[in-house]
Amino acid sequence: MKKSGFYAYPSSRTSTTLAFSIGNAIKHINSSGYNIEVKGWESNPVTGNRILEKVTDAINEADVFLCDLTFINENVLFELGYAIISDKPVWISRDRNLKDEKRFTDELSLLTTIGYKEYATGEELSSHFLTDAPFENLEDTLYRRHVYPLIGSELGGPSLFYLKAPISTNSSHDLTRRISKLNVPFVTDD
């Protein structure tokens, strides 16, 4: 039975070049004869459905989660976090011609320690993915290597990592107040 992958990336409105390269890579991967079929987020019909539910269902059903972090996109970052905590192998890409390294490092310094593949074309992207073959070892996940070992340790007690909204709103203030009243240690990143 073929393994499956879900590829998260910003919409084509962000960059038609990026969407075209990833779409091309998906076609090449799916026609390569390897034991994997990848679907992009755009193949997931959301009209008339709850978008969050459709996306999390697609990630749950996939064996491997792929995402592109060339541009910082809140939806893709949420999906990456969801895939990690869902114990999925994660494979990250970035277009070397379009990326903004300073912004990535400044805003996502936490992710700079996670490896990714750079590419310039869809063919190069698919070649990197098929060479790395994260679908061959579904047991090798960030969750199992870095999150699960902390669960039973002193460091792994109940805690919360709170990423504040970039824009201060009534809702974000309310959420911050509610979190501060919890009887759970938390770390805030603003």
Side-chain angles (χ1 to χ4, degrees):
M1 186 162 112
K2 273 196 172 193
K3 306 266 177 60
S4 62
F6 178 80
Y7 212 137
Y9 51 94
S11 73
S12 58
R13 286 175 288 174
T14 306
S15 172
T16 54
T17 304
L18 183 80
F20 180 79
S21 292
I22 293 172
N24 193 15
I26 290 171
K27 287 178 192 169
H28 187 264
I29 291 166
N30 292 343
S31 66
S32 68
Y34 281 76
N35 188 31
I36 182 79
E37 182 176 347
V38 174
K39 291 182 180 179
W41 71 267
E42 292 176 306
S43 69
N44 196 16
V46 294
T47 304
N49 295 295
R50 294 179 47 173
I51 295 171
L52 180 60
E53 188 176 313
K54 292 294 282 183
V55 171
T56 55
D57 285 350
I59 295 169
N60 291 338
E61 292 168 9
D63 294 307
V64 178
F65 177 81
L66 302 83
C67 71
D68 192 276
L69 296 180
T70 301
F71 300 109
I72 297 170
N73 178 281
E74 291 82 7
N75 292 336
V76 175
L77 291 173
F78 168 80
E79 292 158 4
L80 172 60
Y82 183 81
I84 290 170
I85 205 68
S86 297
D87 198 24
K88 300 290 179 178
V90 170
W91 194 85
I92 302 171
S93 61
R94 294 186 68 210
D95 186 318
R96 79 172 63 86
N97 296 319
L98 301 174
K99 70 180 183 170
D100 182 347
E101 195 63 41
K102 180 174 176 9
R103 184 170 180 218
F104 182 78
T105 303
D106 290 348
E107 295 185 23
L108 299 176
S109 60
L110 180 67
L111 295 178
T112 59
T113 59
I114 298 175
Y116 60 86
K117 288 293 183 174
E118 289 189 343
Y119 65 94
T121 66
E123 291 80 15
E124 183 181 8
L125 178 58
S126 61
S127 176
H128 286 317
F129 176 75
L130 293 171
T131 299
D132 288 353
F135 50 91
E136 293 295 338
N137 183 2
L138 301 179
E139 308 301 313
D140 186 20
T141 67
L142 289 169
Y143 180 83
R144 291 182 195 189
R145 280 186 274 137
H146 301 288
V147 177
Y148 185 75
L150 296 175
I151 292 173
S153 75
E154 290 180 23
L155 296 174
S159 62
L160 174 70
F161 177 68
Y162 173 45
L163 185 60
K164 280 182 141 181
I167 299 170
S168 184
T169 65
N170 287 333
S171 297
S172 67
H173 285 289
D174 184 46
L175 182 58
T176 301
R177 255 191 321 275
R178 288 173 187 242
I179 288 174
S180 66
K181 291 179 182 178
L182 294 174
N183 191 21
V184 174
F186 68 93
V187 176
T188 302
D189 185 351
D190 58 5

